[in-house]
Amino acid sequence: MLTPLGRLDKYISSENIFNRQMVARSLLDTLRAVSEDERDCVSVLEQIDRLADDSEPTVRAELMEQIPHIAIFCQENRPSIPFAFSKYLLPIVVRYLSDQNNLVRKTSQAALLVLLEQELMERGDVESLVCPVLVDLTAPDSSDDVKTEAMAIICKVAPMVGRDVTERLFLPRFCEMCCDSRMFHVRKVCAANFGDMCGVVGGEATEELLLPRFFQLCSDNVWGVRKACAECFMTVSSASSPDVRRTKLSSLFISLISDPSRWVRQAAFQSLGPFISTFASPSSNASQFFRDEERSGAQTHSTDAEAVCAQQEPAGREEQDEDRAAQTAESLTADDSQKCLPSSSEEIPEQELFNSFHFWRTPIPRIDPELELLEEDRRPSAPALDRKHLQELIENLEPHIDDPDVKAQVDVLTAALRATALDSGLEDTLSHHALLTVSVPSCTALTDSVPSCTALTDSVSSCTALTDAIPSCTALTTLSHDAVLQDVVPQALLEQYLSMTDPSRAQTVDMEIARHCAFSLPGVALTLGRQNWHCLRDTYETLASDMQWKVRRTLAFSIHELALILGDQLTAAHLVPIFNSFLKDLDEVRIGVLKHLYDFLKLLHQDTRRKYLYQLQEFLVTDNSRNWRFRSELAEQLVLLLELYSAQDVHDYLRPLALCLCTDRVSSVRWTSYRLVSEIIRKLSSCSSLLVSFLGELVEKFCHSQKWSGRQAFAFVCQLSIEEECLSLDQFSEHLLPPLLQLASDPVPNVRVLLAKTLRQTLLEREYFLSSVNCQQVALEHTLVALQTDVDKDVKYFASVHPGSTRLNEDAMSTTSSTY
């Protein structure tokens, strides 16, 4: 019997925690109940302020979850309760940002982001109330968890508040936190959001204030920080000037690719293609090819690439890395590809005591997690490396060349060493022949950067053994000869991208590296331009023949984009053969080609395009007959392909496919195919003889079909032909209307129902069928009268009245069983 305010007053002071939680949960309903009375609304808001002081964290968290919903209600009812949000709700959100309870803080942070996204906060309130609190929470005297959380919120809030507020309030503290030597968690948050911060403050502030900090983060002694830098490299590069990108960021990225940590190298190679795309001209918009990857963790077209390792949030301070190491394999450092084994036989299970792995191999020693903090001494520095420094690094690594990770680093540093010669001024003064000599030394001249075959005999038995890590002299010559003919992208970056198809990369970096390469290839190709396609051709062909179907699938989904970049001549010469191989591949690969079949074929010359008419029927055969979506996609693509071919070709090649799909076992495929048939009618309407032949075939195959679904399909095709104006009304009356009216005596009610809908909602809506000019008018009226007296009530209903919906295809499908 209590009023809403009465219940609120009774339970808000209850000693039972669950009662107070219930009050918090029902605040929005209480406000709605009293919304017409401004005084009662103010009373509820005052009770909210009282509830905010509750000593129980779960009550405060429950209240904070309701704040965004209450704020939206207040905004919608602003005339009744003006200033409700800024006076009553916002102070609670700000206060809870520094609450001692972790749950309450997390809830308030989420609420703050929702309020900002919904634009429920005044800009002045954000700048004067929220931003100062967030900055204060990152002060040196704040606890580690609070400081980390506050910095994460600052990075998310910055794009919402804009450049001016960010530069004045957030940027100084952000730069300071990037150099926090005590808390690597804070540095990791800064590194992960560095690109977003650069995008907010613009190029000038980025180069003057942020890039020096970015260089420091890329040299951090914790691999997780460096990995975060590699992941955001594209956005940082996008905010920088072309000169800085080429002279500074390129060499910095090379240091990440040669990082001792496998996880850092993995992230760097995944970001290599997107980073290269930032060298494209602004008008090309090469970054569009990486939006799918940014939108989800899957790459292929995102489809697909699963994360190799799920990085867990650290639980404590930097000094507590040992506890974190016991929970996740990512705690391993430079040699993180190794696995720790028990060092004594007592720790090995009895059944494994004589396992050949344990018996014949020297036990792998335990790795101290604290070793990660000492990585900095073992890493090349992040700033640009000169030729002398690169040579010293290679010499230091040569004694450990047997280690696959070291081989990978030597490979990267060798490429960087060659790049220093290419990027110097030598090529401006030397002839083309001399340029190739400098860029691609012979086996003898390679001794400055890569040990010769003879010099390596002490550690490696032959040059053949080097192929896993360092390409042979011939391979180096071919690689550099192709790559040097372009000046769009720094030499070292392009060579590293081309090396992503090297089998050794899969062992030392990432098993999915070839898929990352395939995903980013259209963006790299757009950056280089069609004039430099020769640099990527061999890599593309290697990827197209990769053993992993996911790599080929990625290329199949993007081959139409690459064709658009290369133009018709290069497409015909280099992409058509690969396209043909994809047509005969697994269904998982063929679906990528099929989804963009029209987009690819329209780019080909007419003669080349016509050859594919003979191969379209192959799409009817799938590895799994239950894969009905494949056939449905084929029907949709055939509708688009009609415009690419002549009426005669459509009649000879596409018509049989359409009729076959119309008899598919799956209803969804059939209904799509009926639309295809109606579009074929439109295409053939320009040729009378072909049209008459096709309409006669439809009458024979469908109207006179032994199956009721075929007769129903005929009625639906007739309906679509009129609604979509696929042929003239005279042609329809002559060839399709007489057999259509015969369906009035069909024994199956579903057929008669669709016929009634077609006559009432489609034909009788046209004046043509109501006039005496139409020779079929009398027959049409008689048929309609017969349907109005039909024994089936549904048939009688649709023939007698005018239903509200005119989308007959939906009505028709509702009366048809969707059989599999």
Side-chain angles (χ1 to χ4, degrees):
M1 300 298 293
L2 293 175
T3 64
L5 282 179
R7 286 196 300 271
L8 184 63
D9 292 333
K10 177 180 178 180
Y11 291 108
I12 199 170
S13 57
S14 172
E15 294 182 359
N16 190 320
I17 295 174
F18 297 105
N19 286 340
R20 302 201 301 275
Q21 285 180 331
M22 182 193 67
V23 169
R25 214 174 281 127
S26 61
L27 283 172
L28 181 59
D29 293 334
T30 304
L31 265 178
R32 285 174 176 161
V34 301
S35 60
E36 296 181 0
D37 191 324
E38 180 179 345
R39 184 177 303 175
D40 288 345
C41 288
V42 173
S43 298
V44 175
L45 293 173
E46 290 174 348
Q47 294 286 27
I48 291 177
D49 191 55
R50 176 184 170 188
L51 194 63
D53 296 327
D54 198 288
S55 59
E56 175 57 39
T58 57
V59 176
R60 301 199 301 275
E62 186 67 50
L63 171 62
M64 188 50 58
E65 287 185 2
Q66 302 302 319
I67 290 293
H69 304 291
I70 296 174
I72 294 175
F73 176 82
C74 293
Q75 181 72 17
E76 294 173 350
N77 296 271
R78 195 178 184 89
S80 302
I81 39 179
F83 311 112
F85 177 76
S86 59
K87 183 177 180 181
Y88 295 101
L89 303 180
L90 182 58
I92 300 175
V93 176
V94 173
R95 191 189 346 157
Y96 280 8
L97 288 173
S98 55
D99 196 277
Q100 294 299 313
N101 184 269
N102 181 59
L103 176 62
V104 177
R105 286 201 313 274
K106 293 283 189 182
T107 310
S108 65
Q109 294 164 9
L112 175 62
L113 293 177
V114 171
L115 294 172
L116 288 172
E117 290 172 356
Q118 298 293 327
E119 298 181 351
L120 297 173
M121 302 176 64
E122 298 291 341
R123 186 176 182 86
D125 291 338
V126 176
E127 184 175 347
S128 61
L129 299 178
V130 177
C131 293
V133 172
L134 293 176
V135 173
D136 291 342
L137 291 176
T138 60
D141 58 346
S142 297
S143 66
D144 297 342
D145 291 343
V146 171
K147 187 185 298 185
T148 304
E149 294 170 2
M151 183 50 60
I153 288 294
I154 284 177
C155 294
K156 293 178 180 179
V157 169
M160 301 180 185
V161 300
R163 176 175 179 176
D164 180 59
V165 175
T166 299
E167 287 187 345
R168 285 190 291 106
L169 301 179
F170 291 156
L171 188 57
R173 185 54 57 88
F174 180 83
C175 294
E176 180 183 339
M177 292 295 99
C178 288
C179 305
D180 191 324
S181 59
R182 191 174 63 89
M183 278 293 296
F184 85 93
H185 299 143
V186 176
R187 301 199 304 274
K188 184 177 176 181
V189 169
C190 293
N193 296 276
F194 210 95
D196 295 334
M197 191 64 70
C198 291
V200 173
V201 301
E204 184 177 349
T206 294
E207 296 181 7
E208 182 179 348
L209 300 174
L210 292 178
L211 278 187
R213 272 70 178 182
F214 190 64
F215 272 75
Q216 294 176 6
L217 293 173
C218 288
S219 304
D220 199 275
N221 62 339
V222 177
W223 68 265
V225 177
R226 303 195 303 274
K227 178 175 179 288
C229 291
E231 291 171 343
C232 71
F233 216 94
M234 174 187 177
T235 50
V236 174
S237 177
S238 299
S240 305
S241 66
D243 183 59
V244 170
R245 184 181 304 133
R246 180 174 291 273
T247 58
K248 296 182 179 180
L249 293 182
S250 297
S251 55
L252 177 63
F253 195 84
I254 289 295
S255 71
L256 293 175
I257 284 184
S258 60
D259 194 276
S261 171
R262 178 171 184 161
W263 307 124
V264 178
R265 297 198 304 273
Q266 186 179 104
F269 272 108
Q270 290 184 25
S271 299
L272 178 55
F275 176 46
I276 289 177
S277 73
T278 62
F279 288 86
S281 59
S283 60
S284 65
N285 195 21
S287 62
Q288 64 178 311
F289 295 102
F290 304 101
R291 288 174 183 166
D292 289 337
E293 182 180 20
E294 295 167 353
R295 187 169 59 244
S296 66
Q299 286 185 352
T300 125
H301 274 33
S302 128
T303 75
D304 304 324
E306 298 80 12
V308 176
C309 58
Q311 184 163 353
Q312 302 181 7
E313 287 297 324
R317 298 188 180 185
E318 191 167 0
E319 292 80 1
Q320 296 172 331
D321 279 349
E322 185 169 359
D323 294 334
R324 190 160 55 100
Q327 302 174 6
T328 171
E330 288 189 359
S331 299
L332 300 180
T333 56
D335 297 325
D336 44 14
S337 62
Q338 299 178 352
K339 302 290 185 289
C340 296
L341 294 176
S343 58
S344 63
S345 61
E346 289 77 7
E347 297 176 322
I348 302 176
E350 183 176 354
Q351 63 270 24
E352 292 290 329
L353 193 57
F354 298 100
N355 184 288
S356 60
F357 180 81
H358 298 148
F359 187 81
W360 292 108
R361 290 178 59 111
T362 303
I364 302 177
R366 293 182 180 274
I367 300 179
D368 186 358
E370 296 294 334
L371 202 60
E372 179 179 65
L373 303 180
L374 302 177
E375 281 185 6
E376 186 173 18
D377 295 334
R378 300 175 56 188
R379 300 183 64 255
S381 59
L385 305 177
D386 56 19
R387 186 176 181 84
K388 181 179 179 181
H389 197 171
L390 289 171
Q391 289 174 335
E392 292 176 356
L393 289 173
I394 294 175
E395 291 173 359
N396 293 336
L397 291 173
E398 282 179 10
H400 311 286
I401 197 69
D402 292 336
D403 189 326
D405 284 345
V406 176
K407 285 183 180 181
Q409 295 174 50
V410 171
D411 186 15
V412 172
L413 295 173
T414 302
L417 186 64
R418 292 199 308 274
T420 59
L422 294 172
D423 290 338
S424 67
L426 296 176
E427 62 266 32
D428 296 330
T429 56
L430 299 177
S431 65
H432 179 68
H433 180 272
L435 174 62
L436 293 179
T437 304
V438 174
S439 306
V440 192
S442 63
C443 287
T444 304
L446 275 173
T447 54
D448 292 339
S449 56
V450 182
S452 66
C453 298
T454 305
L456 283 171
T457 53
D458 294 339
S459 57
V460 182
S461 57
S462 66
C463 290
T464 305
L466 277 174
T467 56
D468 289 340
I470 304 178
S472 63
C473 299
T474 304
L476 278 175
T477 304
T478 304
L479 179 65
S480 295
H481 176 74
D482 284 342
V484 78
L485 299 181
Q486 62 83 35
D487 58 356
V488 180
V489 177
Q491 177 72 16
L493 293 179
L494 181 58
E495 290 197 2
Q496 289 305 316
Y497 178 78
L498 299 179
S499 74
M500 291 176 72
T501 57
D502 190 335
S504 66
R505 293 292 192 204
Q507 302 299 323
T508 60
V509 180
D510 184 5
M511 291 297 293
E512 300 288 338
I513 191 171
R515 185 143 54 115
H516 299 313
C517 180
F519 177 80
S520 58
L521 197 140
V524 175
L526 182 61
T527 301
L528 295 177
R530 67 181 62 173
Q531 69 275 12
N532 292 314
W533 168 242
H534 62 276
C535 301
L536 297 174
R537 178 185 173 185
D538 292 342
T539 298
Y540 190 79
E541 292 177 350
T542 301
L543 293 170
S545 59
D546 195 278
M547 294 296 294
Q548 300 182 69
W549 64 264
K550 291 183 179 180
V551 175
R552 305 194 303 275
R553 173 186 168 95
T554 301
L555 294 182
F557 270 94
S558 63
I559 193 170
H560 66 290
E561 298 283 5
L562 192 58
L564 188 62
I565 295 170
L566 298 183
D568 56 351
Q569 293 184 357
L570 290 175
T571 295
H574 302 146
L575 296 189
V576 166
I578 294 175
F579 182 84
N580 293 339
S581 68
F582 288 160
L583 291 178
K584 303 174 183 178
D585 213 314
L586 302 175
D587 284 353
E588 289 81 2
V589 178
R590 295 169 71 206
I591 188 62
V593 172
L594 181 58
K595 276 186 174 294
H596 302 286
L597 186 61
Y598 166 78
D599 296 325
F600 184 82
L601 293 184
K602 73 177 182 180
L603 301 174
L604 303 181
H605 189 270
Q606 184 175 359
D607 294 339
T608 306
R609 183 192 307 148
R610 196 171 183 278
K611 295 178 182 178
Y612 288 97
L613 285 170
Y614 309 94
Q615 303 181 45
L616 290 177
Q617 61 182 356
E618 297 177 6
F619 283 111
L620 292 175
V621 182
T622 56
D623 298 338
N624 183 358
S625 60
R626 291 178 176 270
N627 189 5
W628 62 268
R629 289 183 176 85
F630 197 93
R631 301 190 297 276
S632 179
E633 184 65 41
L634 173 60
E636 293 179 2
Q637 287 295 314
L638 290 178
V639 173
L640 300 175
L641 289 177
L642 294 176
E643 72 174 66
L644 301 181
Y645 296 103
S646 66
Q648 187 66 53
D649 285 339
V650 169
H651 181 271
D652 295 343
Y653 297 100
L654 302 188
R655 174 190 55 82
L657 293 178
L659 296 178
C660 180
L661 291 170
C662 284
T663 60
D664 196 271
R665 292 188 304 156
V666 180
S667 174
S668 179
V669 178
R670 295 198 302 270
W671 289 110
T672 305
S673 303
Y674 300 156
R675 293 191 175 279
L676 170 61
V677 169
S678 67
E679 291 300 322
I680 292 179
I681 292 176
R682 185 198 305 276
K683 183 74 176 183
L684 300 181
S685 61
S686 59
C687 180
S688 178
S689 60
L690 294 179
L691 178 63
V692 171
S693 173
F694 183 53
L695 296 181
E697 188 174 14
L698 291 179
V699 172
E700 182 64 29
K701 286 183 176 293
F702 294 99
C703 186
H704 299 159
S705 174
Q706 296 297 317
K707 295 182 178 181
W708 70 268
S709 59
R711 302 192 297 274
Q712 188 189 54
F714 180 78
F716 185 60
V717 169
C718 291
Q719 169 203 338
L720 281 177
S721 300
I722 295 298
E723 286 189 343
E724 303 295 333
E725 299 179 354
C726 297
L727 76 171
S728 68
L729 297 180
D730 289 335
Q731 292 172 323
F732 179 86
S733 296
E734 180 180 357
H735 301 288
L736 294 181
L737 185 55
L740 177 65
L741 296 180
Q742 295 175 7
L743 296 179
S745 59
D746 195 280
V748 179
N750 279 2
V751 177
R752 303 198 303 274
V753 165
L754 184 54
L755 173 62
K757 292 179 181 179
T758 302
L759 297 182
R760 171 64 69 178
Q761 299 179 0
T762 302
L763 269 64
L764 296 182
E765 290 294 309
R766 272 74 178 172
E767 182 66 27
Y768 174 85
F769 293 102
L770 299 176
S771 64
S772 58
V773 177
N774 179 17
C775 60
Q776 299 290 337
Q777 180 193 13
V778 176
L780 182 60
E781 291 177 353
H782 289 169
T783 302
L784 194 61
V785 170
L787 292 174
Q788 289 173 352
T789 59
D790 196 276
V791 295
D792 187 273
K793 62 179 182 180
D794 291 329
V795 177
K796 185 184 304 184
Y797 170 76
F798 284 107
S800 302
V801 299
H802 195 295
S805 174
T806 58
R807 298 184 62 83
L808 300 188
N809 55 326
E810 295 178 0
D811 293 332
M813 292 183 68
S814 68
T815 62
T816 306
S817 59
S818 298
T819 55
Y820 198 135

